[in-house]
Amino acid sequence: MQYLVDQIVSGIAVGAIYGLIAMGLALIYKSTGLANFAQGEMAMLIAYIAWTLAGLMPGHPWLVVGGALVASVVLGLAIERLIMRPMLGEPVFATVMVTIALAVILRAGAMLIWDPYPHALDIGIGRGVVMLGATGLREAQLAAILTLMAALAGFWAFFRYSRIGKAMRAVAADSRAAQLMGISAARIHAIAWTASAVIAGLAGIFFALLYDVSPNLYHVGLKSFPATILGGLDSVLGSGFGGVLIGVAENLAGGYLASSIKEIAGFIVIIAVLMIRPFGLFGERDIERV
Amino acid sequence: MNAGTLEIRNLQVIYGGAIEAVRDVSLKVEPKQIVALLGANGAGKSTLLKALSGVLDDEEGTIESGAITFDGHDLAGLKPVDIVHRGIVQVPEGRRLFPSLTVDENLDMGGFAATPAQLTERRTVVFELFPRLAERRKQIAGYLSGGEQQMVAIGRALMGGPRVLALDEPSLGLAPIVIDLIYDIVRRLNRDLGVTVLLVEQNAQRALGLASYGYIIERGRIVLDGPSARLVGNADVREFYLGVTGADRKSLREVKHYKRRKRWLS
């Protein structure tokens, strides 16, 4: 029984990381209509930046995290302004290909700037063990879960109450009409990319604290695709939950079946779910009036 | 020139560098006037409104020559956001609500640039004009009836505090009784709130009943313009736009004659 609880809890923790990245994916999809294939690479790049900062400022964990988050804001703005905005109005397929190119460039760039070997990200915090009843959790795992919960609550309030959040939903629903109302789609896109880079960066840091920093960190991006498809590509909150479900399913499959099943468990779950709900668990159906 | 005059001079719009959608169109909307722009499908009405709101580039349209001025300032080349800020707001064809947002949220988006105080004030005005929207303010806009959606679309545009309201086929797909209601609202907006209206319609009868001046556009060109009363009296307009055939039915040869003449004129 304890084994089951342990598996579920650590599944939730890794799922929280998938969930954060998946929320970023959904945020970009919702406001720009694009699947960003470089989401995992953005997480990887920020993790590397955090690792470099940790080397420069040993003993200042919060400065490291703060600096990495500033870097992710810059990264999000730069990608939107320099790469995505010139592609505005081009076919979606071409733009998605650009995100794939960006992914490859970021991956190769990380290997060029740093090196292809795994490094431990040690900022002095996040390694301690917290006991929840009989289940032990590392601080970084707990922090990932809490961050996901905060992000879920924050985005819920943002979309419901804030002016920019409502405008983001309006741009998603009909960007031409939004323009006619005086909403600048470009500004909304910039905000979406920035927010998405920040939560991807947080996820990358948590992942690096729990495992290590290496170019393979982008694999978490691959895992978050099923999460966002499961939750609904246009549902930011659903994607967060989707990540948790994928994480738990993966861990249970790995713990009870075989570790080789673990990698594909998430994808099996989405095939099963999409057969029943093609728009994802929390995705919006198109409103059609007859 | 009066403050608040909207003027389009010799406008030419080309799509994709090849297809001419609007040619040499000139029209003028005086402050507090209701002007109708009439024409069939594909005549160039919506293109004209897109040029006015600065959203041609989505379909690779460009203003090749001519000018659009408001208050004497050139609008061509301005971003859609800036045009809205100058007080020209469009109610797009087919309403184009944000279907997944509630009525209240749709109204908020119309007043995206407004201050909270202005929003409250304008919302009161909108709910006075459309009491039905006040009852449905928490509902998802996509599930409203067509007439209610048109009310939201007009209300949303009013939240932007327009000086000129450009309505693109507000009667499209609505029941006659609902059209009456919408037209009545437009009349009140103009009379009580002093909003200038550019009314783009296929429904000539309705539009000329409301507007004081009208333009008729065919294949991208203005073929006729004048005060509504004179247009309504024009024999060609009566036959081809109002569907009134005189006592004696015309033969097909005469129709062909009219069409030939039109081609020469344009």
Side-chain angles (χ1 to χ4, degrees):
Chain A
M1 186 61 200
Q2 185 55 40
Y3 182 67
L4 176 68
V5 174
D6 285 348
Q7 290 294 329
I8 290 176
V9 170
S10 69
I12 293 174
V14 73
I17 294 175
Y18 299 157
L20 283 171
I21 296 182
M23 285 171 85
L25 272 171
L27 190 60
I28 287 175
Y29 181 81
K30 196 178 167 70
S31 52
T32 71
L34 293 175
N36 173 28
F37 280 85
Q39 201 72 15
E41 281 76 3
M42 281 160 48
M44 173 205 71
L45 187 68
I46 299 304
Y48 264 105
I49 290 173
W51 179 65
T52 303
L53 288 175
L56 294 173
M57 302 184 284
H60 296 287
W62 299 112
L63 276 182
V64 171
V65 174
L69 291 184
V70 171
S72 55
V73 169
V74 174
L75 176 70
L77 285 175
I79 291 176
E80 195 278 331
R81 190 72 196 84
L82 302 176
I83 302 171
M84 304 320 294
R85 200 175 298 180
M87 292 299 290
L88 217 62
E90 301 296 326
V92 174
F93 186 71
T95 318
V96 170
M97 290 306 285
V98 167
T99 71
I100 295 177
L102 177 67
V104 175
I105 292 168
L106 288 180
R107 237 179 281 162
M111 274 194 252
L112 278 174
I113 300 171
W114 292 281
D115 55 42
Y117 309 110
H119 303 276
L121 175 62
D122 187 1
I123 56 172
I125 54 170
R127 301 261 166 142
V129 173
V130 186
M131 294 304 290
L132 290 177
T135 309
L137 262 182
R138 284 205 275 162
E139 283 167 9
Q141 283 180 307
L142 192 61
I145 296 170
L146 293 176
T147 304
L148 178 74
M149 282 161 56
L152 287 172
F155 275 108
W156 181 81
F158 172 71
F159 283 126
R160 206 176 158 84
Y161 298 113
S162 88
R163 191 166 144 270
I164 300 286
K166 284 187 260 184
M168 210 170 256
R169 286 163 55 211
V171 170
D174 189 334
S175 71
R176 160 63 72 76
Q179 261 188 326
L180 288 175
M181 297 301 115
I183 300 169
S184 157
R187 233 183 83 205
I188 296 295
H189 291 179
I191 294 168
W193 275 95
T194 308
S196 169
V198 168
I199 48 179
L202 279 170
I205 294 171
F206 288 131
F207 192 86
L209 284 173
L210 290 172
Y211 305 94
D212 47 32
V213 185
S214 80
N216 284 337
L217 206 155
Y218 77 87
H219 283 312
V220 288
L222 297 182
K223 293 288 181 55
S224 51
F225 261 105
T228 191
I229 304 275
L230 178 65
L233 201 47
D234 58 357
S235 167
V236 176
L237 303 187
S239 296
F241 287 114
V244 173
L245 289 180
I246 296 283
V248 171
E250 236 185 49
N251 253 27
L252 291 179
Y256 284 97
L257 301 172
S259 58
S260 52
I261 305 281
K262 188 174 174 178
E263 296 299 311
I264 57 168
F267 292 90
I268 292 171
V269 170
I270 63 165
I271 290 173
V273 169
L274 291 186
M275 278 198 269
I276 305 161
R277 284 182 69 92
F279 35 85
L281 286 178
F282 305 94
E284 272 174 21
R285 268 188 236 235
D286 280 344
I287 295 178
E288 273 177 43
R289 291 185 61 249
V290 261
Chain B
M1 186 187 292
N2 286 325
T5 303
L6 174 69
E7 199 174 4
I8 295 175
R9 270 196 314 271
N10 301 82
L11 189 76
Q12 186 191 21
V13 175
I14 289 189
Y15 282 121
I19 301 155
E20 189 181 50
V22 164
R23 178 182 203 174
D24 247 353
V25 165
S26 298
L27 65 82
K28 195 168 176 183
V29 188
E30 304 271 9
K32 314 218 162 137
Q33 205 184 9
I34 301 183
V35 169
L37 177 64
L38 307 171
N41 268 332
K45 307 184 301 286
S46 292
T47 300
L48 206 66
L49 282 197
K50 280 177 194 164
L52 177 64
S53 286
V55 292
L56 277 172
D57 45 347
D58 280 16
E59 283 124 17
E60 305 205 352
T62 45
I63 295 179
E64 203 61 25
S65 62
I68 304 175
T69 56
F70 183 55
D71 273 345
H73 299 286
D74 198 359
L75 296 183
L78 286 186
K79 285 193 211 125
V81 183
D82 300 323
I83 294 173
V84 170
H85 289 178
R86 286 182 188 224
I88 299 178
V89 183
Q90 189 186 140
V91 179
E93 184 180 350
R95 305 181 272 275
R96 306 286 290 257
L97 296 186
F98 305 117
S100 50
L101 273 61
T102 65
V103 170
D104 254 346
E105 287 168 340
N106 267 281
L107 294 179
D108 281 343
M109 290 302 102
F112 187 69
T115 62
Q118 283 175 321
L119 280 182
T120 317
E121 190 192 314
R122 289 175 190 166
R123 199 187 300 270
T124 316
V125 172
V126 170
F127 285 155
E128 265 167 28
L129 286 170
F130 303 108
R132 197 150 7 144
L133 295 188
E135 294 161 24
R136 303 191 184 252
R137 55 192 294 178
K138 299 288 173 212
Q139 291 190 21
I140 301 292
Y143 292 127
L144 297 179
S145 74
E148 288 164 344
Q149 291 198 1
Q150 187 64 59
M151 294 177 198
V152 178
I154 294 176
R156 185 178 64 171
L158 290 177
M159 295 296 285
R163 294 165 67 194
V164 177
L165 191 65
L167 293 151
D168 198 350
E169 300 204 24
S171 67
L172 191 72
L174 298 182
I177 190 166
V178 183
I179 302 179
D180 286 343
L181 190 88
I182 299 287
Y183 267 62
D184 188 48
I185 295 289
V186 175
R187 184 177 290 122
R188 277 168 63 190
L189 283 179
N190 176 258
R191 194 187 55 206
D192 303 344
L193 304 176
V195 179
T196 310
V197 176
L198 174 58
L199 179 63
V200 173
E201 268 289 8
Q202 289 198 45
N203 191 336
Q205 186 134 30
R206 298 259 186 190
L208 288 176
L210 181 62
S212 59
Y213 200 90
Y215 292 84
I216 294 182
I217 185 168
E218 277 180 19
R219 282 173 294 151
R221 288 150 225 214
I222 301 284
V223 291
L224 207 60
D225 70 287
S228 297
R230 215 176 76 209
L231 286 182
V232 172
N234 180 296
D236 286 342
V237 175
R238 285 175 72 82
E239 179 164 0
F240 292 99
Y241 286 93
L242 300 177
V244 184
T245 38
D248 47 335
R249 302 184 68 145
K250 282 188 176 175
S251 77
L252 192 62
R253 192 189 310 161
E254 282 170 287
V255 176
K256 277 188 172 164
H257 167 75
Y258 165 76
K259 287 204 163 155
R260 196 154 50 231
R261 193 157 59 91
K262 240 171 34 180
R263 208 157 19 210
W264 278 108
L265 275 172
S266 53

